[in-house]
Every structure is written in C-alpha cells, then in structure tokens.
Amino acid sequence: MKAQIAAALHERGLELYHVAWKPGAKHGVLTLTIDKEGGVSMADCEVASRAAGELLDAEGADAPAMDYSLEVESPGLDRPLWTLDDCRRFTGQRVTMRLSRKVDGAGKLKGILESVQDDTVTVLDEDQNRRYTVRFDDVKLARLVPEF
C-alpha cells in the first residue's frame, strides 16, 4: 500500500517522506509525512489526504484492520532525519542527535552534519568543538536545526 500511496502522491508533485502507524486500543492513527520542493502547504496536505484516503478506502483488506484516523503533515522546519538518505540530502546542515548509547562519552550531539559514509554519519559538534562519527543505528533521533 505504501508504494501505491507514494505513486499517487508523486503524480501530484508530492513526495511521501515518512509513514507512521500508531495503534490504539480501539482507534489507530496513520500519519503520512509529505514533502515537496519549496515546502508543503495546507492545500498539499489536503490533496495528499484525499488521494491516500481514496486508495485506502478502495483497498479495504490492506487498510488498517481497526478504526483509524488519517493525518497528513509536513516534515516541518526541524524535520526528523529517519534514514541515511535523509542525512545525505541534508549534509552541511545543522542537526541535533540523541544517541541510543554514548559514543566517545557523548549521548547528544549538536552541530554540522559533515558527511555520510556507508552506515555512519559524521557531526562536528559545536558545543564540544569535536568531530564525532557514529553508526546511524546508534542514532535514536536526528533533526534539523532551523535557521532563523
């Protein structure tokens, strides 16, 4: 289903950036994060919601088995970096990272995302004036730091 939604959004000039499913006891939430060059508008979210909703309604069996809400959002200015490809796309930008385990004594990093090699990312931490190379699997959460 994810591929069909991504294709439908692509036809409308939108990118399916991330999909999250949060089940509940009786009601779940399916969240689609979309992106496009130049940013996402409310109208883009409406277009994506209609397109995805139509596909989910048509598929029936492949849709979530419980009652659910569909939410569509933009990644925001402090967009999460969920994959190594996201990190590659935003190399050179300021990021914050929370690590699942300490690397060279650091559990949090804030600085410039300098490079991505294989399964690692390198961040020049501005607080410690030190360069850290960490396995992406050890990154619990990574986000861009908005520039104002």
Side-chain angles (χ1 to χ4, degrees):
M1 179 55 62
K2 181 179 174 181
Q4 291 97 329
I5 292 173
L9 296 183
H10 181 75
E11 290 174 5
R12 292 160 175 83
L14 302 168
E15 173 192 350
L16 181 59
Y17 186 67
H18 186 72
V19 177
W21 169 249
K22 185 176 180 183
K26 295 182 180 183
H27 186 88
V29 178
L30 178 62
T31 303
L32 306 179
T33 306
I34 63 170
D35 202 5
K36 80 171 190 185
E37 189 72 32
V40 174
S41 68
M42 286 295 287
D44 294 326
C45 290
E46 291 171 12
V47 166
S49 180
R50 274 194 301 278
E54 288 171 7
L55 281 170
L56 289 165
D57 290 345
E59 288 300 313
D62 287 341
M66 64 171 50
D67 187 31
Y68 70 96
S69 297
L70 174 64
E71 295 180 353
V72 179
E73 64 184 18
S74 78
L77 294 175
D78 63 341
R79 82 174 48 224
L81 304 177
W82 283 296
T83 66
L84 283 165
D85 284 338
D86 294 342
C87 291
R88 282 184 193 92
R89 180 176 172 189
F90 293 100
T91 297
Q93 301 290 316
R94 291 182 68 230
V95 297
T96 61
M97 290 186 178
R98 277 196 338 235
L99 306 178
S100 57
R101 65 179 187 84
K102 289 191 175 191
V103 175
D104 294 331
K108 294 181 182 178
L109 304 174
K110 182 177 180 181
I112 303 297
L113 177 58
E114 287 190 325
S115 66
V116 178
Q117 296 292 324
D118 300 320
D119 65 343
T120 64
V121 294
T122 300
V123 175
L124 177 59
D125 189 285
E126 56 195 22
D127 293 335
Q128 300 177 32
N129 197 25
R130 184 170 171 198
R131 187 169 279 108
Y132 291 88
T133 298
V134 298
R135 288 177 358 111
F136 191 71
D137 288 346
D138 292 332
V139 176
K140 188 174 186 177
L141 176 66
R143 289 187 173 278
L144 290 181
V145 175
E147 299 288 330
F148 293 104

